[in-house]
Amino acid sequence: MLNYEEFKKEILKRVREEAGEDAEVEITVIQKNNGTPKEAIAFSDKENNLQPLIYLESIYSQYCAGAELSVCVGFTVEVYRSVMGVDIDTAYKDWKTVRNKIEMAVINKAWNADTISGIPHRDFLDLVLYCRVIIDKNENGVASMIVKNYMLKEWGISEEELWEAAFSNLKTEEFDIKDVNEVLRFIYPEGDLTGLPDKNKFESALYVLTNKYQNRGAVGMLRTDLLEKFAEMGGCDLYILPSSIHEVLLLKDDEIPVEELRRMVRSVNCGVVDEMDRLSDEVYHYQRGSRKVEIAA
């Protein structure tokens, strides 16, 4: 088996051969969420402004799990050709077409000061909201691009119109609230769940709120209509724990001190959550009837 550095050199060589002479293929370092550097295979095309990125870490993980190198190469080139097949004008240059493809996401403000400097954004507690254009979305993942300031001029719209579309689309986006044990049983259908209570005898203390594709679903915490309905069903106010940029956890506002919850969030962030996916070290609170999320006092 090749080590990471050997794999990187070999896959770059083979992808260049497979992609053909019209594609320029390089390995580059991308600053992701929270300033986390990630190596990616970057494509550029002489006739297209799209520049697909395929992260090496995920491809190498497939290889280590048993995928043949040829399969990894084929997958990488297939992603490149699929993205390059997108009609760029249809994808994001016409506002009438793109308006319904705008989705919001949320990241930590302090940890992403450089990232947000060139994009339309709005503060939300210790976080910041930004927008993405969804190019493709299916069970295999989500292809999207961040909305940048220059795009508003190309679309001929104001920033206010962008946010109007983003909040309108958020209201119709599909979100789920599931018992955390239900989620675990889906991930580990036959795995070792020793220590978890019998589902028929247990009312979960924790629930997961995320979107249909479990991709940047933490923005669901802005859906106060869902939080209100869930809180009313439980007859309680809610604590919201920032599990990652992809989901948040909901639990009953009970006797657990807020500082204890904060310590738990920080411990999980440091020991479990990938640095790129961390959302916040804070704990949030939703009071029934308020229609407002706040940092827990």
Side-chain angles (χ1 to χ4, degrees), residues 213-233:
Y213 295 95
Q214 300 176 33
N215 185 283
R216 299 181 179 88
V219 72
M221 66 191 290
L222 272 74
R223 285 289 301 272
T224 54
D225 58 324
L226 300 181
L227 295 177
E228 181 67 21
K229 181 183 288 188
F230 186 67
E232 284 295 335
M233 287 174 59

Side-chain angles (χ1 to χ4, degrees), residues 16-288:
R16 280 174 170 166
E17 293 171 353
E18 185 73 19
E21 59 183 23
D22 287 338
E24 296 180 4
V25 189
E26 301 291 344
I27 289 178
T28 187
V29 177
I30 305 297
Q31 294 295 319
K32 293 292 288 177
N33 183 45
N34 302 332
T36 308
K38 294 284 182 181
E39 285 192 307
I41 296 178
F43 294 87
S44 58
D45 192 289
K46 297 171 184 176
E47 298 181 357
N48 202 317
N49 290 325
L50 285 173
Q51 293 183 308
L53 300 171
I54 295 95
Y55 292 99
L56 272 167
E57 188 178 287
S58 62
I59 309 171
Y60 186 63
S61 296
Q62 294 177 27
Y63 172 73
C64 291
E68 295 287 340
L69 182 60
S70 59
V71 173
C72 296
V73 171
F75 168 79
T76 303
V77 175
E78 183 181 346
V79 170
Y80 156 68
R81 287 176 176 159
S82 174
V83 173
M84 285 306 184
V86 173
D87 183 338
I88 198 70
D89 291 324
T90 301
Y92 80 95
K93 283 195 173 179
D94 177 43
W95 176 242
K96 288 182 180 179
T97 302
V98 85
R99 188 186 189 283
N100 292 330
K101 298 179 181 179
I102 300 292
E103 288 189 3
M104 276 194 296
V106 61
I107 52 177
N108 189 280
K109 182 179 180 180
W111 300 343
N112 293 279
D114 292 339
T115 302
I116 64 176
S117 62
I119 65 175
H121 60 274
R122 284 190 174 182
D123 291 349
F124 174 65
L125 306 176
D126 64 320
L127 310 174
V128 67
L129 305 172
Y130 69 101
C131 298
R132 305 183 72 91
V133 180
I134 304 302
I135 296 173
D136 188 31
K137 185 189 289 187
N138 55 54
E139 63 278 2
N140 296 318
V142 178
S144 65
M145 61 176 64
I146 296 175
V147 175
K148 298 185 178 179
N149 290 328
Y150 74 84
M151 292 180 180
L152 304 188
K153 186 174 181 180
E154 288 186 354
W155 294 332
I157 64 166
S158 65
E159 188 169 332
E160 191 59 38
E161 288 174 286
L162 172 70
W163 289 109
E164 182 183 338
F167 278 102
S168 176
N169 294 341
L170 180 68
K171 292 177 182 177
T172 59
E173 190 176 347
E174 295 181 65
F175 288 90
D176 291 319
I177 297 177
K178 292 183 178 179
D179 181 330
V180 71
N181 296 298
E182 215 178 299
V183 176
L184 287 173
R185 284 182 172 88
F186 176 78
I187 298 172
Y188 306 108
E190 299 177 357
D192 180 10
L193 293 177
T194 303
L196 288 180
D198 185 281
K199 187 175 180 182
N200 296 323
K201 301 177 181 177
F202 181 66
E203 183 180 347
S204 179
L206 279 176
Y207 291 82
V208 179
L209 167 60
T210 187
N211 55 16
K212 181 179 179 181
Y213 295 95
Q214 300 176 33
N215 185 283
R216 299 181 179 88
V219 72
M221 66 191 290
L222 272 74
R223 285 289 301 272
T224 54
D225 58 324
L226 300 181
L227 295 177
E228 181 67 21
K229 181 183 288 188
F230 186 67
E232 284 295 335
M233 287 174 59
C236 61
D237 297 334
L238 303 171
Y239 283 125
I240 303 171
L241 307 184
S243 176
S244 79
I245 61 171
H246 303 297
E247 72 281 311
V248 294
L249 300 178
L250 309 179
L251 72 159
K252 183 178 180 180
D253 177 353
D254 213 337
E255 301 299 320
I256 304 177
V258 173
E259 280 309 313
E260 186 175 328
L261 290 174
R262 281 199 182 93
R263 281 194 294 272
M264 181 177 74
V265 168
R266 289 165 186 166
S267 175
V268 170
N269 274 342
C270 291
V272 179
V273 183
D274 189 301
E275 185 178 357
M276 185 176 73
D277 292 334
R278 293 175 193 168
L279 180 59
S280 176
D281 285 336
E282 281 293 352
V283 173
Y284 308 103
H285 187 261
Y286 179 79
Q287 183 177 344
R288 279 180 296 166

